Amino acid sequence: MLNIKKDLQDKQLVVGLEGRLDTTTAPTLEEELKSALAGVENLVFDLSSLEYISSAGLRVLLSSQKTMNKQGKMVVKNVSEEVNEIFEVTGFSDILTIE
């Protein structure tokens, strides 16, 4: 189960994720972002309530990062210790801007 909260103000989109971002839920997030990123220059992922992220979820973040490299910047905030460990093991901590 994944709850996605989107808050668009001017050209900044804050995406809050709650629950698990895995093989089952990643396609939903990918679809939500596909239509939401047009015109966005600053994308912020708030992962304070994200419990788990799988390789499918990482792929969605990587895809978002690639999109934002062309049109602005992307920041990942409020990462839990468990999710941060996954970022470090997979090398995503070097790819993403984590605050």
Side-chain angles (χ1 to χ4, degrees), residues 6 26-36 60:
K6 293 186 294 188
T28 303
L29 177 61
E30 187 172 28
E31 196 60 38
E32 291 263 344
L33 291 175
K34 200 177 287 183
S35 57
V60 175

Side-chain angles (χ1 to χ4, degrees), residues 6 8-13 30-43 64 67-68 71-72:
K6 293 186 294 188
L8 178 64
Q9 293 185 359
D10 294 325
K11 295 183 177 185
Q12 174 172 295
L13 176 64
E30 187 172 28
E31 196 60 38
E32 291 263 344
L33 291 175
K34 200 177 287 183
S35 57
L37 291 184
V40 171
E41 293 179 2
N42 189 18
L43 174 62
S64 299
T67 299
M68 293 312 297
Q71 64 191 55

Side-chain angles (χ1 to χ4, degrees), residues 6 8 10 17 21 27 29 31 35 37 44 48-49 52 54 61 66 72 74 76 79 81 83 85 87 96-97:
K6 293 186 294 188
L8 178 64
D10 294 325
L17 302 179
L21 182 54
L29 177 61
E31 196 60 38
S35 57
L37 291 184
V44 178
S48 57
S49 298
Y52 173 79
S54 73
L61 290 185
K66 286 182 178 176
M74 177 177 131
V76 179
V79 180
E81 194 173 312
V83 172
E85 190 175 320
F87 285 157
L96 304 175
T97 302

Side-chain angles (χ1 to χ4, degrees), residues 3 20 22 26-27 41 45 52 60 62 68 74 76 83-84 86 99:
N3 289 322
R20 297 174 58 89
D22 55 23
E41 293 179 2
F45 279 101
Y52 173 79
V60 175
L62 182 60
M68 293 312 297
M74 177 177 131
V76 179
V83 172
N84 195 46
I86 294 169
E99 293 182 350

